[in-house]
Amino acid sequence: MATFRMGSKAFFLLLSLALVSNVALGVGGRGVVRGRGGGRGRKQSGPPATIFNVMNYGAKNNGKMDSTQAFMKAWVAACHWRGNARLVVPLGTFLTGQVTFQGPCNSLNPIVVQVRGTIKAQTDISEYPSPEWFSFEEINGLVLTGGGTFDGQGPSVWPYNDCKKNKDCQMLPTSLKFSKVTNANVRRINSVNSMAFHIGINRCQDFGLQTLKITAPAESPNTDGIHISSSTNIRVARSFIGTGDDCVSLGQGTYNVSITDVICGPGHGISIGSLGKYNMEKDVSGITVRNCTLKDTDNGVRIKTYQGSDPSKASKFIFDNIIMNNVKYPIIIDQLYCDKGCHKSPSRVHISDVQFSNIRGTSKSDVAVSIICSPQFPCQNVVLHDINLKLAGNKPATAECENVKINYGGVQFPPKCM
């Protein structure tokens, strides 16, 4: 009689395949899988993760039947599980209205949300009592990953966006909103055609976003890629963002943010602000934008503050090693910003310690560098080092500056402001 001996590697391979198969089939409503899903500083350890597949809670992957309640039930079960938990959205197309993933959760390790399929938003705005589609709230330890797609189906609702004309307009839903989330990592996720912002981050800390693909047409309204406010220690890296508004925007109360290796375009560029729109806004400090490429955007790297603002401070900005490819306004500080109904008085946001270095490429407009600061609080310690921006055809561009004394170094195209 022949005897079959299985090597240890083959045994564990078959065991892993069996576990994954059980999860895919939804055996027993939950499955078990080993793996790492921890965010930065919180390494996955201990027993295998228990799988909570949304289809075992009633979700349908035909793209037609609403799966909102199934997603919520799966989250509640995963969040209350006293062990490692992974909520899985398998392959297929799922339709949902507003979904809230509320913490805190019981897991000692980051809870993992693995999206493999496509999730589509309901296009009936009455399905959204507040302006967000998927909301993650009060969670300490979260990983959102899987290579799947959040489709906001924005073309169905963009015609209702009248915010440029109506100051009392109703904001459309943000696709993914994170509030009071710490120790989080969002990676390998696609977001397409959001109704408004793709990703909103508010009152979060120790939060990483990388290998994201965020897309919407250039003419889509208010479809900012990532908007960050009142948050600390945020990292955006290795992502492609092309939308109808800012690729990344940073609002009040934001500290220690790094944006690296991002390809941006179309859109309005990478913006700090607008700052000073509301009363008593908090300061902004410690923003680094490095190793990024902007292509066919309206703006490049920009700081903008409202006229007539309350006093605040915006400081310690580094924009370094950035390629501009046919960008309309590559370098901007605009303290005369106003969209509608502004007070025609100087901005009182005090900007200081700003470094633009090794920025090169082509400008679509004659003015490649525009630094217009507040006459009441002139910008302090602004540095331009190795700037090489020209018009198409290697034609010279110009620079304009007001209420600022700039420290220059290295190559300067366009020439220094006089």
Side-chain angles (χ1 to χ4, degrees), residues 57 129 132 235 265 298 312 406:
Y57 295 84
E132 57 269 338
R235 306 168 304 281
D298 284 356
S312 66
I406 298 175

Side-chain angles (χ1 to χ4, degrees), residues 189-268:
I189 288 293
N190 306 302
S191 177
V192 301
N193 291 340
S194 57
M195 289 182 262
F197 293 0
H198 286 263
I199 296 176
I201 297 173
N202 182 253
R203 294 178 292 174
C204 295
Q205 62 182 19
D206 300 322
F207 199 121
L209 306 100
Q210 63 264 358
T211 54
L212 306 179
K213 186 175 182 181
I214 299 173
T215 57
E219 64 275 11
S220 58
N222 298 114
T223 53
D224 293 54
I226 302 172
H227 179 72
I228 304 167
S229 61
S230 300
S231 297
T232 305
N233 298 334
I234 312 296
R235 306 168 304 281
V236 180
R238 302 186 304 280
S239 295
F240 173 85
I241 307 174
T243 71
D245 213 300
D246 294 325
C247 290
V248 183
S249 57
L250 301 105
Q252 62 148 328
T254 300
Y255 295 86
N256 298 333
V257 175
S258 68
I259 301 166
T260 58
D261 300 297
V262 168
I263 297 174
C264 167
H268 295 179

Side-chain angles (χ1 to χ4, degrees), residues 29-249:
R30 292 194 296 264
V32 179
V33 67
R34 292 185 184 275
R36 294 186 304 170
R40 185 174 181 178
R42 297 192 69 185
K43 187 176 180 180
Q44 185 84 5
S45 60
T50 299
I51 301 300
F52 297 84
N53 189 321
V54 294
M55 295 192 70
N56 296 331
Y57 295 84
K60 304 298 182 183
N61 63 353
N62 57 17
K64 298 178 181 179
M65 297 181 66
D66 186 278
S67 295
T68 304
Q69 292 304 313
F71 274 63
M72 300 277 280
K73 290 176 182 178
W75 170 260
V76 170
C79 184
H80 286 85
W81 185 253
R82 293 188 178 277
N84 295 331
R86 180 175 300 192
L87 186 152
V88 174
V89 180
L91 294 175
T93 301
F94 299 84
L95 181 68
T96 79
Q98 187 174 72
V99 174
T100 301
F101 287 171
Q102 177 82 40
C105 296
N106 290 330
S107 178
L108 294 178
N109 285 302
I111 188 168
V112 179
V113 177
Q114 183 178 20
V115 178
R116 299 182 62 207
T118 296
I119 308 173
K120 288 191 172 184
Q122 289 276 13
T123 57
D124 182 353
I125 296 302
S126 66
E127 293 285 334
Y128 303 91
S130 53
E132 57 269 338
W133 175 27
F134 268 76
S135 182
F136 298 79
E137 302 176 3
E138 299 186 48
I139 303 167
N140 183 6
L142 171 70
V143 174
L144 174 60
T145 187
T149 299
F150 291 85
D151 182 353
Q153 302 209 82
S156 297
V157 300
W158 290 333
Y160 304 120
N161 185 318
D162 62 349
C163 290
K164 288 188 176 180
K165 301 176 182 178
N166 178 13
K167 66 178 182 179
D168 298 318
C169 67
Q170 179 180 352
M171 289 295 296
L172 294 174
T174 294
S175 285
L176 299 173
K177 183 178 179 180
F178 300 87
S179 301
K180 296 183 180 180
V181 176
T182 60
N183 298 310
N185 195 292
V186 178
R187 60 177 183 258
R188 295 182 56 244
I189 288 293
N190 306 302
S191 177
V192 301
N193 291 340
S194 57
M195 289 182 262
F197 293 0
H198 286 263
I199 296 176
I201 297 173
N202 182 253
R203 294 178 292 174
C204 295
Q205 62 182 19
D206 300 322
F207 199 121
L209 306 100
Q210 63 264 358
T211 54
L212 306 179
K213 186 175 182 181
I214 299 173
T215 57
E219 64 275 11
S220 58
N222 298 114
T223 53
D224 293 54
I226 302 172
H227 179 72
I228 304 167
S229 61
S230 300
S231 297
T232 305
N233 298 334
I234 312 296
R235 306 168 304 281
V236 180
R238 302 186 304 280
S239 295
F240 173 85
I241 307 174
T243 71
D245 213 300
D246 294 325
C247 290
V248 183
S249 57

